[in-house]
Amino acid sequence: MQTEQITQAKDKYRHVKDLRGQVFGRLKVITLAPYSSWLGRKASWICQCECGQSTIIASQALIRGMTRSCGCLRREQAKAFRYQTYEAYRLRKTGEI
C-alpha cells in the first residue's frame, strides 16, 4: 500500500523540477508542499527563511526571483527607508543641511 502511494506521488509530480536544498535569496527550500496547498495549481514548496519563518512559495516565484524572503526583507527595507526619510526631514528642519 505504501509503495503504491509513493509511485502515484512520483507520477503526479514528475513534471516538477526538484528544488529541495536550494537557496533563493533568504529562502531555503525544504520540501514540496502537499498538493492541496499548491497556489492555483502551481507546484509550491515549503521554504525556511533566514529569520526562522516557514512559508509556502510557488516554484515559478522562486526560480524567477520574484520571491526572496518570507516578507522580512520588505519590512527591513521599509524600516531603513523610513529612517532615511526621517533623518533627511530632521536635518532640514534643524538647518543642519
mmCIF file of all heavy atoms in Angstrom, residues 37-74:
data_model
loop_
_atom_site.group_PDB
_atom_site.id
_atom_site.type_symbol
_atom_site.label_atom_id
_atom_site.label_comp_id
_atom_site.label_asym_id
_atom_site.label_seq_id
_atom_site.Cartn_x
_atom_site.Cartn_y
_atom_site.Cartn_z
ATOM 1 N N SER A 37 -2.250 22.365 -0.931
ATOM 2 C CA SER A 37 -1.847 23.730 -0.586
ATOM 3 C C SER A 37 -1.125 24.437 -1.732
ATOM 4 O O SER A 37 -0.588 25.517 -1.549
ATOM 5 C CB SER A 37 -0.959 23.724 0.657
ATOM 6 O OG SER A 37 0.242 23.047 0.388
ATOM 7 N N TRP A 38 -1.117 23.814 -2.907
ATOM 8 C CA TRP A 38 -0.493 24.473 -4.058
ATOM 9 C C TRP A 38 -1.261 25.741 -4.384
ATOM 10 O O TRP A 38 -2.469 25.822 -4.236
ATOM 11 C CB TRP A 38 -0.484 23.547 -5.266
ATOM 12 C CG TRP A 38 0.587 22.511 -5.211
ATOM 13 C CD1 TRP A 38 1.293 22.100 -4.128
ATOM 14 C CD2 TRP A 38 1.064 21.717 -6.303
ATOM 15 N NE1 TRP A 38 2.173 21.117 -4.463
ATOM 16 C CE2 TRP A 38 2.053 20.861 -5.789
ATOM 17 C CE3 TRP A 38 0.750 21.640 -7.629
ATOM 18 C CZ2 TRP A 38 2.739 19.959 -6.587
ATOM 19 C CZ3 TRP A 38 1.420 20.743 -8.423
ATOM 20 C CH2 TRP A 38 2.407 19.919 -7.915
ATOM 21 N N LEU A 39 -0.549 26.727 -4.861
ATOM 22 C CA LEU A 39 -1.137 28.026 -5.145
ATOM 23 C C LEU A 39 -1.645 28.063 -6.581
ATOM 24 O O LEU A 39 -0.865 28.236 -7.515
ATOM 25 C CB LEU A 39 -0.098 29.124 -4.911
ATOM 26 C CG LEU A 39 0.570 29.072 -3.538
ATOM 27 C CD1 LEU A 39 1.759 30.006 -3.485
ATOM 28 C CD2 LEU A 39 -0.429 29.408 -2.467
ATOM 29 N N GLY A 40 -2.934 27.861 -6.771
ATOM 30 C CA GLY A 40 -3.522 27.914 -8.108
ATOM 31 C C GLY A 40 -2.968 26.869 -9.052
ATOM 32 O O GLY A 40 -2.606 27.182 -10.177
ATOM 33 N N ARG A 41 -2.842 25.635 -8.603
ATOM 34 C CA ARG A 41 -2.352 24.509 -9.398
ATOM 35 C C ARG A 41 -0.885 24.642 -9.781
ATOM 36 O O ARG A 41 -0.384 23.938 -10.628
ATOM 37 C CB ARG A 41 -3.204 24.299 -10.645
ATOM 38 C CG ARG A 41 -4.606 23.864 -10.333
ATOM 39 C CD ARG A 41 -5.371 23.602 -11.581
ATOM 40 N NE ARG A 41 -4.628 22.679 -12.432
ATOM 41 C CZ ARG A 41 -5.141 21.649 -13.042
ATOM 42 N NH1 ARG A 41 -6.398 21.385 -12.892
ATOM 43 N NH2 ARG A 41 -4.416 20.877 -13.821
ATOM 44 N N LYS A 42 -0.189 25.576 -9.185
ATOM 45 C CA LYS A 42 1.248 25.725 -9.425
ATOM 46 C C LYS A 42 1.995 24.956 -8.340
ATOM 47 O O LYS A 42 1.658 25.063 -7.168
ATOM 48 C CB LYS A 42 1.650 27.194 -9.396
ATOM 49 C CG LYS A 42 1.038 28.006 -10.505
ATOM 50 C CD LYS A 42 1.530 29.432 -10.433
ATOM 51 C CE LYS A 42 0.960 30.237 -11.554
ATOM 52 N NZ LYS A 42 -0.243 30.955 -11.185
ATOM 53 N N ALA A 43 3.015 24.231 -8.751
ATOM 54 C CA ALA A 43 3.805 23.488 -7.774
ATOM 55 C C ALA A 43 4.364 24.471 -6.745
ATOM 56 O O ALA A 43 4.892 25.519 -7.097
ATOM 57 C CB ALA A 43 4.936 22.752 -8.465
ATOM 58 N N SER A 44 4.223 24.138 -5.487
ATOM 59 C CA SER A 44 4.656 25.019 -4.406
ATOM 60 C C SER A 44 5.566 24.274 -3.446
ATOM 61 O O SER A 44 5.476 23.056 -3.310
ATOM 62 C CB SER A 44 3.444 25.572 -3.669
ATOM 63 O OG SER A 44 2.635 26.309 -4.545
ATOM 64 N N TRP A 45 6.425 25.037 -2.790
ATOM 65 C CA TRP A 45 7.435 24.470 -1.906
ATOM 66 C C TRP A 45 7.332 25.079 -0.524
ATOM 67 O O TRP A 45 7.022 26.266 -0.384
ATOM 68 C CB TRP A 45 8.825 24.735 -2.481
ATOM 69 C CG TRP A 45 9.037 24.059 -3.783
ATOM 70 C CD1 TRP A 45 8.737 24.570 -5.020
ATOM 71 C CD2 TRP A 45 9.540 22.753 -4.001
ATOM 72 N NE1 TRP A 45 9.039 23.647 -5.979
ATOM 73 C CE2 TRP A 45 9.537 22.522 -5.390
ATOM 74 C CE3 TRP A 45 9.993 21.754 -3.162
ATOM 75 C CZ2 TRP A 45 9.972 21.332 -5.942
ATOM 76 C CZ3 TRP A 45 10.439 20.570 -3.711
ATOM 77 C CH2 TRP A 45 10.424 20.364 -5.087
ATOM 78 N N ILE A 46 7.626 24.276 0.478
ATOM 79 C CA ILE A 46 7.737 24.785 1.840
ATOM 80 C C ILE A 46 9.176 25.259 2.004
ATOM 81 O O ILE A 46 10.120 24.502 1.780
ATOM 82 C CB ILE A 46 7.402 23.697 2.874
ATOM 83 C CG1 ILE A 46 5.955 23.241 2.690
ATOM 84 C CG2 ILE A 46 7.654 24.201 4.290
ATOM 85 C CD1 ILE A 46 5.567 22.070 3.553
ATOM 86 N N CYS A 47 9.327 26.525 2.345
ATOM 87 C CA CYS A 47 10.655 27.136 2.456
ATOM 88 C C CYS A 47 10.864 27.668 3.870
ATOM 89 O O CYS A 47 9.927 28.107 4.523
ATOM 90 C CB CYS A 47 10.788 28.287 1.468
ATOM 91 S SG CYS A 47 10.589 27.793 -0.248
ATOM 92 N N GLN A 48 12.112 27.671 4.291
ATOM 93 C CA GLN A 48 12.509 28.217 5.593
ATOM 94 C C GLN A 48 13.315 29.481 5.329
ATOM 95 O O GLN A 48 14.307 29.449 4.610
ATOM 96 C CB GLN A 48 13.362 27.195 6.349
ATOM 97 C CG GLN A 48 13.766 27.614 7.726
ATOM 98 C CD GLN A 48 12.648 27.419 8.729
ATOM 99 O OE1 GLN A 48 11.881 26.488 8.620
ATOM 100 N NE2 GLN A 48 12.571 28.303 9.691
ATOM 101 N N CYS A 49 12.876 30.580 5.902
ATOM 102 C CA CYS A 49 13.575 31.856 5.736
ATOM 103 C C CYS A 49 14.709 31.953 6.763
ATOM 104 O O CYS A 49 14.684 31.272 7.793
ATOM 105 C CB CYS A 49 12.595 33.005 5.921
ATOM 106 S SG CYS A 49 13.288 34.625 5.538
ATOM 107 N N GLU A 50 15.682 32.797 6.492
ATOM 108 C CA GLU A 50 16.793 33.002 7.428
ATOM 109 C C GLU A 50 16.311 33.522 8.775
ATOM 110 O O GLU A 50 16.951 33.292 9.797
ATOM 111 C CB GLU A 50 17.812 33.976 6.833
ATOM 112 C CG GLU A 50 18.614 33.402 5.705
ATOM 113 C CD GLU A 50 19.589 34.405 5.106
ATOM 114 O OE1 GLU A 50 19.633 35.575 5.563
ATOM 115 O OE2 GLU A 50 20.301 34.018 4.175
ATOM 116 N N CYS A 51 15.180 34.226 8.779
ATOM 117 C CA CYS A 51 14.651 34.772 10.034
ATOM 118 C C CYS A 51 13.961 33.696 10.874
ATOM 119 O O CYS A 51 13.603 33.943 12.021
ATOM 120 C CB CYS A 51 13.688 35.917 9.750
ATOM 121 S SG CYS A 51 12.113 35.404 9.025
ATOM 122 N N GLY A 52 13.752 32.492 10.305
ATOM 123 C CA GLY A 52 13.139 31.394 11.040
ATOM 124 C C GLY A 52 11.715 31.078 10.638
ATOM 125 O O GLY A 52 11.172 30.055 11.014
ATOM 126 N N GLN A 53 11.083 31.952 9.880
ATOM 127 C CA GLN A 53 9.701 31.766 9.452
ATOM 128 C C GLN A 53 9.611 30.756 8.311
ATOM 129 O O GLN A 53 10.441 30.758 7.417
ATOM 130 C CB GLN A 53 9.158 33.120 8.979
ATOM 131 C CG GLN A 53 7.754 33.102 8.475
ATOM 132 C CD GLN A 53 6.787 33.640 9.491
ATOM 133 O OE1 GLN A 53 7.197 34.152 10.516
ATOM 134 N NE2 GLN A 53 5.522 33.512 9.209
ATOM 135 N N SER A 54 8.592 29.907 8.334
ATOM 136 C CA SER A 54 8.317 28.984 7.229
ATOM 137 C C SER A 54 7.209 29.560 6.365
ATOM 138 O O SER A 54 6.278 30.185 6.887
ATOM 139 C CB SER A 54 7.878 27.622 7.749
ATOM 140 O OG SER A 54 8.949 26.973 8.365
ATOM 141 N N THR A 55 7.289 29.320 5.065
ATOM 142 C CA THR A 55 6.279 29.830 4.150
ATOM 143 C C THR A 55 6.162 28.921 2.938
ATOM 144 O O THR A 55 7.088 28.171 2.636
ATOM 145 C CB THR A 55 6.608 31.280 3.734
ATOM 146 O OG1 THR A 55 5.547 31.813 2.973
ATOM 147 C CG2 THR A 55 7.898 31.363 2.952
ATOM 148 N N ILE A 56 5.034 28.993 2.244
ATOM 149 C CA ILE A 56 4.820 28.223 1.024
ATOM 150 C C ILE A 56 4.928 29.170 -0.155
ATOM 151 O O ILE A 56 4.238 30.186 -0.217
ATOM 152 C CB ILE A 56 3.437 27.524 1.046
ATOM 153 C CG1 ILE A 56 3.384 26.522 2.192
ATOM 154 C CG2 ILE A 56 3.162 26.855 -0.290
ATOM 155 C CD1 ILE A 56 2.054 25.838 2.366
ATOM 156 N N ILE A 57 5.808 28.825 -1.109
ATOM 157 C CA ILE A 57 6.090 29.669 -2.263
ATOM 158 C C ILE A 57 5.959 28.839 -3.530
ATOM 159 O O ILE A 57 6.420 27.702 -3.580
ATOM 160 C CB ILE A 57 7.525 30.250 -2.192
ATOM 161 C CG1 ILE A 57 7.772 30.930 -0.844
ATOM 162 C CG2 ILE A 57 7.800 31.188 -3.343
ATOM 163 C CD1 ILE A 57 7.022 32.198 -0.624
ATOM 164 N N ALA A 58 5.378 29.429 -4.580
ATOM 165 C CA ALA A 58 5.247 28.757 -5.867
ATOM 166 C C ALA A 58 6.620 28.616 -6.523
ATOM 167 O O ALA A 58 7.481 29.499 -6.385
ATOM 168 C CB ALA A 58 4.308 29.528 -6.780
ATOM 169 N N SER A 59 6.820 27.530 -7.270
ATOM 170 C CA SER A 59 8.095 27.267 -7.948
ATOM 171 C C SER A 59 8.513 28.421 -8.843
ATOM 172 O O SER A 59 9.663 28.848 -8.836
ATOM 173 C CB SER A 59 7.992 26.001 -8.808
ATOM 174 O OG SER A 59 7.875 24.875 -8.015
ATOM 175 N N GLN A 60 7.565 28.921 -9.631
ATOM 176 C CA GLN A 60 7.875 29.998 -10.571
ATOM 177 C C GLN A 60 8.402 31.232 -9.859
ATOM 178 O O GLN A 60 9.319 31.892 -10.346
ATOM 179 C CB GLN A 60 6.639 30.371 -11.378
ATOM 180 C CG GLN A 60 6.205 29.313 -12.348
ATOM 181 C CD GLN A 60 4.950 29.705 -13.094
ATOM 182 O OE1 GLN A 60 4.265 30.650 -12.718
ATOM 183 N NE2 GLN A 60 4.645 28.991 -14.156
ATOM 184 N N ALA A 61 7.821 31.566 -8.718
ATOM 185 C CA ALA A 61 8.256 32.742 -7.969
ATOM 186 C C ALA A 61 9.685 32.575 -7.467
ATOM 187 O O ALA A 61 10.461 33.532 -7.457
ATOM 188 C CB ALA A 61 7.311 33.000 -6.802
ATOM 189 N N LEU A 62 10.055 31.366 -7.082
ATOM 190 C CA LEU A 62 11.423 31.113 -6.629
ATOM 191 C C LEU A 62 12.399 31.182 -7.791
ATOM 192 O O LEU A 62 13.418 31.876 -7.723
ATOM 193 C CB LEU A 62 11.512 29.741 -5.965
ATOM 194 C CG LEU A 62 10.823 29.588 -4.611
ATOM 195 C CD1 LEU A 62 10.770 28.129 -4.214
ATOM 196 C CD2 LEU A 62 11.536 30.410 -3.561
ATOM 197 N N ILE A 63 12.099 30.465 -8.864
ATOM 198 C CA ILE A 63 13.017 30.367 -9.999
ATOM 199 C C ILE A 63 13.219 31.717 -10.677
ATOM 200 O O ILE A 63 14.333 32.068 -11.045
ATOM 201 C CB ILE A 63 12.499 29.312 -11.001
ATOM 202 C CG1 ILE A 63 12.561 27.925 -10.351
ATOM 203 C CG2 ILE A 63 13.297 29.339 -12.291
ATOM 204 C CD1 ILE A 63 11.839 26.842 -11.123
ATOM 205 N N ARG A 64 12.156 32.491 -10.814
ATOM 206 C CA ARG A 64 12.242 33.790 -11.493
ATOM 207 C C ARG A 64 12.772 34.909 -10.599
ATOM 208 O O ARG A 64 12.979 36.023 -11.047
ATOM 209 C CB ARG A 64 10.878 34.184 -12.027
ATOM 210 C CG ARG A 64 10.403 33.289 -13.140
ATOM 211 C CD ARG A 64 9.062 33.699 -13.637
ATOM 212 N NE ARG A 64 8.606 32.810 -14.690
ATOM 213 C CZ ARG A 64 7.423 32.859 -15.253
ATOM 214 N NH1 ARG A 64 6.553 33.778 -14.849
ATOM 215 N NH2 ARG A 64 7.083 32.021 -16.190
ATOM 216 N N GLY A 65 12.952 34.618 -9.317
ATOM 217 C CA GLY A 65 13.487 35.619 -8.396
ATOM 218 C C GLY A 65 12.455 36.611 -7.906
ATOM 219 O O GLY A 65 12.804 37.670 -7.385
ATOM 220 N N MET A 66 11.183 36.276 -8.047
ATOM 221 C CA MET A 66 10.113 37.182 -7.627
ATOM 222 C C MET A 66 9.924 37.170 -6.115
ATOM 223 O O MET A 66 9.413 38.124 -5.545
ATOM 224 C CB MET A 66 8.808 36.805 -8.331
ATOM 225 C CG MET A 66 8.882 36.974 -9.826
ATOM 226 S SD MET A 66 7.580 36.147 -10.780
ATOM 227 C CE MET A 66 6.122 36.477 -9.894
ATOM 228 N N THR A 67 10.317 36.087 -5.471
ATOM 229 C CA THR A 67 10.207 35.974 -4.012
ATOM 230 C C THR A 67 11.584 35.638 -3.462
ATOM 231 O O THR A 67 12.185 34.655 -3.864
ATOM 232 C CB THR A 67 9.203 34.873 -3.626
ATOM 233 O OG1 THR A 67 7.955 35.166 -4.239
ATOM 234 C CG2 THR A 67 9.027 34.811 -2.132
ATOM 235 N N ARG A 68 12.085 36.472 -2.551
ATOM 236 C CA ARG A 68 13.404 36.264 -1.977
ATOM 237 C C ARG A 68 13.379 36.036 -0.477
ATOM 238 O O ARG A 68 14.384 35.676 0.115
ATOM 239 C CB ARG A 68 14.298 37.461 -2.290
ATOM 240 C CG ARG A 68 14.524 37.646 -3.784
ATOM 241 C CD ARG A 68 15.394 38.829 -4.063
ATOM 242 N NE ARG A 68 14.660 40.047 -3.705
ATOM 243 C CZ ARG A 68 15.225 41.218 -3.502
ATOM 244 N NH1 ARG A 68 16.525 41.348 -3.616
ATOM 245 N NH2 ARG A 68 14.501 42.259 -3.196
ATOM 246 N N SER A 69 12.216 36.298 0.156
ATOM 247 C CA SER A 69 12.113 36.091 1.600
ATOM 248 C C SER A 69 10.654 35.885 1.973
ATOM 249 O O SER A 69 9.765 35.953 1.125
ATOM 250 C CB SER A 69 12.684 37.290 2.362
ATOM 251 O OG SER A 69 11.803 38.387 2.269
ATOM 252 N N CYS A 70 10.414 35.699 3.254
ATOM 253 C CA CYS A 70 9.048 35.484 3.755
ATOM 254 C C CYS A 70 8.285 36.799 3.884
ATOM 255 O O CYS A 70 7.103 36.811 4.163
ATOM 256 C CB CYS A 70 9.099 34.787 5.104
ATOM 257 S SG CYS A 70 9.849 35.794 6.390
ATOM 258 N N GLY A 71 8.950 37.901 3.700
ATOM 259 C CA GLY A 71 8.373 39.226 3.904
ATOM 260 C C GLY A 71 9.246 40.064 4.812
ATOM 261 O O GLY A 71 9.080 41.275 4.927
ATOM 262 N N CYS A 72 10.221 39.412 5.457
ATOM 263 C CA CYS A 72 11.096 40.129 6.386
ATOM 264 C C CYS A 72 12.005 41.110 5.642
ATOM 265 O O CYS A 72 12.313 42.179 6.155
ATOM 266 C CB CYS A 72 11.913 39.153 7.213
ATOM 267 S SG CYS A 72 13.036 38.110 6.263
ATOM 268 N N LEU A 73 12.405 40.787 4.437
ATOM 269 C CA LEU A 73 13.266 41.674 3.655
ATOM 270 C C LEU A 73 12.543 42.980 3.343
ATOM 271 O O LEU A 73 13.103 44.065 3.505
ATOM 272 C CB LEU A 73 13.695 40.981 2.363
ATOM 273 C CG LEU A 73 14.593 41.769 1.424
ATOM 274 C CD1 LEU A 73 15.897 42.139 2.113
ATOM 275 C CD2 LEU A 73 14.875 40.966 0.164
ATOM 276 N N ARG A 74 11.289 42.878 2.947
ATOM 277 C CA ARG A 74 10.500 44.083 2.648
ATOM 278 C C ARG A 74 10.324 44.936 3.903
ATOM 279 O O ARG A 74 10.426 46.165 3.843
ATOM 280 C CB ARG A 74 9.145 43.694 2.083
ATOM 281 C CG ARG A 74 8.281 44.904 1.782
ATOM 282 C CD ARG A 74 7.050 44.523 1.055
ATOM 283 N NE ARG A 74 7.456 44.143 -0.287
ATOM 284 C CZ ARG A 74 6.638 43.975 -1.296
ATOM 285 N NH1 ARG A 74 5.357 44.136 -1.127
ATOM 286 N NH2 ARG A 74 7.080 43.638 -2.479
#
